[in-house]
Amino acid sequence: MKDISKRIRRNILRMANVSKSPHVGSALSCADIMTVLYHRVLNLSVPADDTRDYFLLSKAHSAMCLYSTLNSKGLLSDETMMSYYQNGGALPAHTDRFTNDYVEISAGSLGHGLPIGLGIAKAMKLQKRNNRVFVLMGDGESQEGSVWEAAMLAPSLGLDNLTAMIDYNNLQGYGRARELVAYEPVKDKWESFGWNTLCIDGHDHDAIYEALTSASDKPKMIICNTIKGKGVSFMEDQLIWHYFIVTDEHMKNALEELA
């Protein structure tokens, strides 16, 4: 798993460098979560298979991590991945559901992924199917009202097939998330709405796997404590890497750390 995570991170840096795209710090912070999810947990089978699981990247500005992860699974070619965010390229900066069979939603405006995931999970229940639905949100995204509407509704619908995750790196575009909006204590809030809520190290692959696969008779929220820019020392926990561009020199130094 560590080698896969490194490969995913290296390709994120390459995409960011070629495209001159921001959001590299946000993409790096969730790379371990995505590695475990795609390589140990999700039943992807084929897109049209009624039994497959669904993954919704709600923090869609981290699209580079999704594209790199799909590439690591052989579900996205190198050529398509490296066309990210370029004129004439196949992949936009934020996800578009029509670009790949495994990109489930078009997203960009925050707060949409969890309500959509709730709807899919409810549909699976009505159809008596055993599909699981996973949603990854950002901690800054948790300031959106639509997130809390879904948080209130999911337990009352008995959606034990719905797992939400927060990439809790405590850095959003303009500062520390918990300083900009006082939404702590996050764990207590989700529990009070009736979710089975876990807090884990979002870079510990075993902890991520155990949390994702643990049994629950309620919708599950996994708060993943992460570090923005994880894996590259000069990017870790630095606000500028929400928007800063990866130059050739940055990439060279970063790739040496991820060799």
Side-chain angles (χ1 to χ4, degrees), residues 18-184:
V18 169
S19 64
K20 309 304 178 192
S21 168
H23 299 138
V24 64
S26 303
L28 291 171
S29 75
C30 59
D32 294 302
I33 300 168
M34 300 284 279
T35 297
V36 176
L37 189 63
Y38 272 83
H39 287 270
R40 297 187 68 185
V41 176
L42 286 180
N43 168 27
L44 294 174
S45 54
V46 293
D49 190 328
D50 286 346
T51 66
R52 73 183 177 94
D53 295 329
Y54 289 79
F55 170 70
L56 282 62
L57 181 65
S58 192
K59 48 169 290 185
H61 56 288
S62 302
M64 284 186 289
C65 189
L66 176 59
Y67 301 146
S68 183
T69 304
L70 291 174
N71 175 265
S72 73
K73 285 285 290 183
L75 302 172
L76 188 70
S77 71
D78 291 345
E79 180 181 5
T80 301
M81 178 180 68
M82 293 309 297
S83 74
Y84 163 80
Y85 199 36
Q86 297 179 68
N87 290 335
L91 301 174
H94 293 71
T95 55
D96 179 336
R97 66 183 293 266
F98 298 106
T99 56
N100 183 279
D101 288 338
Y102 295 93
V103 176
E104 304 286 1
I105 58 171
S106 300
S109 295
L110 297 172
H112 293 173
L114 187 59
I116 296 171
L118 182 152
I120 295 172
K122 177 61 177 175
M124 298 300 103
K125 287 288 186 182
L126 291 173
Q127 296 170 16
K128 302 187 185 306
R129 290 158 58 178
N130 296 319
N131 311 57
R132 299 171 298 172
V133 182
F134 299 84
V135 180
L136 179 61
M137 301 183 292
D139 49 1
E141 181 178 7
S142 299
Q143 299 163 7
E144 301 288 340
S146 53
V147 171
W148 297 102
E149 292 177 30
M152 288 187 283
L153 182 57
S156 65
L157 296 177
L159 300 181
D160 57 1
N161 57 342
L162 174 62
T163 296
M165 298 161 282
I166 294 178
D167 179 5
Y168 196 14
N169 58 41
N170 194 30
L171 268 181
Q172 58 188 93
Y174 300 103
R176 299 283 179 195
R178 64 175 62 122
E179 293 173 356
L180 294 172
V181 174
Y183 70 113
E184 293 281 4

Side-chain angles (χ1 to χ4, degrees), residues 229-245:
K230 176 67 176 178
V232 180
S233 61
F234 59 88
M235 294 183 180
E236 289 189 356
D237 200 37
Q238 297 297 312
L239 178 61
I240 61 171
W241 289 103
H242 192 91
Y243 291 118
F244 215 60
I245 301 301

